[in-house]
Amino acid sequence: MSATSFARAVLPPDIRAMKGRAPIVTLTAYTTPIARLVDPHCDVILVGDSLGMVIHGLPSTIGVTMEMMILHGRAVVRGASKAMVVIDMPFGSYEESPAQAFRNASRLMAETGATSVKLEGGVHMAETIAFLTARGVPVMAHLGLTPQSVNTFGGYKVVGREGEAEKVMADALAVEAAGAYSVVLEKVPEGLAARISQRLAIPTIGIGAGVHCDGQVLVVDDMLGLFTEFRPKFVKRYGNLGEAADQAIAAYAAEVRARSFPGPEHSFPDTLPAAKTLK
Ligand code: KIV
C-alpha cells in the first residue's frame, strides 16, 4: 500500500473546527510503535524535527534533512489510523522561496502520507503560507521560540515578553491571514498566548505557552521520561520509561554475565518432544 492511500479520519478543517469546542491533544511521534501508542489518544500526531535531537543525537534541529523527515514520516503514518499526522519542514527546505517550499512540502506529503506540514515563522513566511495553502498544502505555523532560529535567538529563550509581545501578535495575525489552519506557540508567556488565542479564529497549540491555548503539544520522549538530556520547565513527566528501560537492560546484562539467560524455556531442544497419544 502506498503512503498516500491512507484515508485520514481527521483533517485540518476538523482541527480548525475544534476551536472553542474541545482542547486539541497533540504529541510528537517518530516511529511506528510510538505512533500506534499515541494514535488512539491524540487528535494530531506531529512528526517534529525535534527527532534530530531526540532520535539522532544532534545538538539542535538545524541538521535535520528532508530524507530524515521522510523516513520517520512514513513510519509514523504506518502507525496512525485515527489522528491527523503533521510533518515538520526541516531547516533550509522552505525559507528560500514559496516555490522551494511547495516543492518540498508536496514531497513530504506525497512520500509520507502526512496530511499537512508545519513551518516556523510569522510575517516573513506569510507569502509562503498563502502560496502553499492555495496549492493544496495545509499549513500549521509555529511561532514564539522557533527552534530552527536558535542561533539567532541565542538560546532556547521565552519569546514575547514586554517589547516582543506585539511582534508575536503581529506574526500570529499574519499567519492566520495567510491561511494557516492552526499555529503552535512555543515558550510564549501565558498572558500573551491567552491574548493570541482569544484574538485568532484558528486554534493555537501551546508548548510552554500556558493553559489558555486551544490545544497542547509535548515531545513524547520528554513526557515519557525517555529523553533526559535536558528538561525544559514546560515538560511534565507522565512516565519514567528511561529509568524502567535502564533497569531492564541492567537485569539482562547481569543474567547474560551470570549465564542464567537464556533458560530452557527460551531454548530449542535437539529432538522434538514425543507426540502425545490421543485417546
Ligand atoms: O519539532 C517538534 O517536536 C516541535 C514541537 C516542539 C512543537 O516543533
Side-chain angles (χ1 to χ4, degrees):
M1 194 184 308
S2 82
T4 48
S5 60
F6 290 92
R8 295 277 143 206
V10 184
L11 294 168
D14 304 311
I15 298 302
R16 194 185 164 134
M18 286 177 76
K19 175 131 187 151
R21 296 203 187 138
I24 299 161
V25 181
T26 305
L27 280 173
T28 65
Y30 317 117
T31 63
T32 306
I34 295 290
R36 286 199 180 116
L37 281 173
V38 306
D39 183 59
H41 304 284
C42 287
D43 303 300
V44 177
I45 301 176
L46 171 65
V47 189
D49 62 353
S50 50
L51 64 82
M53 298 160 88
V54 173
I55 302 289
H56 293 274
L58 293 173
S60 73
T61 56
I62 289 168
V64 175
T65 63
M66 283 286 292
E67 284 63 38
M68 287 159 81
M69 294 309 300
I70 288 169
L71 199 66
H72 288 282
R74 279 185 184 152
V76 169
V77 168
R78 269 179 227 127
S81 57
K82 175 193 137 291
M84 190 183 80
V85 178
V86 181
I87 188 163
D88 261 339
M89 299 200 72
F91 180 64
S93 72
Y94 60 97
E95 300 89 335
E96 200 177 316
S97 66
Q100 183 215 22
F102 181 76
R103 197 162 51 247
N104 285 316
S106 57
R107 211 181 138 205
L108 285 172
M109 288 173 65
E111 294 186 27
T112 68
T115 305
S116 94
V117 301
K118 176 165 81 57
L119 58 80
E120 298 182 4
V123 169
H124 69 285
M125 291 311 301
E127 185 191 351
T128 294
I129 293 171
F131 191 90
L132 293 179
T133 52
R135 287 161 179 76
V137 179
V139 177
M140 177 182 280
H142 186 153
L143 299 175
L145 171 63
T146 45
Q148 292 171 8
S149 302
V150 62
N151 292 339
T152 313
F153 286 127
Y156 295 99
K157 297 175 174 165
V158 174
V159 175
R161 283 198 175 116
E162 292 156 18
E164 279 175 349
E166 289 323 304
K167 184 189 174 308
V168 181
M169 176 63 85
D171 282 336
L173 293 169
V175 299
E176 174 175 63
Y181 70 90
S182 67
V183 55
V184 167
L185 299 178
E186 179 164 354
K187 259 190 147 175
V188 169
E190 60 176 345
L192 174 62
R195 278 207 291 131
I196 292 173
S197 303
Q198 243 173 13
R199 183 94 182 262
L200 298 192
I202 59 171
T204 57
I205 301 179
I207 174 162
V211 77
H212 300 293
C213 292
D214 301 298
Q216 297 292 331
V217 57
L218 282 177
V219 168
V220 73
D221 295 65
D222 285 341
M223 57 86 79
L224 291 177
L226 271 171
F227 182 74
T228 52
E229 300 278 301
F230 54 86
R231 184 175 172 186
K233 175 182 169 165
F234 56 75
V235 171
K236 177 171 176 183
R237 284 242 174 101
Y238 288 84
N240 231 325
L241 299 201
E243 240 173 69
D246 183 59
Q247 282 166 16
I249 293 162
Y252 163 76
E255 288 190 11
V256 169
R257 292 195 176 104
R259 295 196 180 280
S260 62
F261 174 83
E265 69 275 31
H266 310 112
S267 305
F268 301 96
D270 290 295
T271 52
L272 284 173
K276 282 188 185 146
T277 47
L278 295 173
K279 290 207 173 161

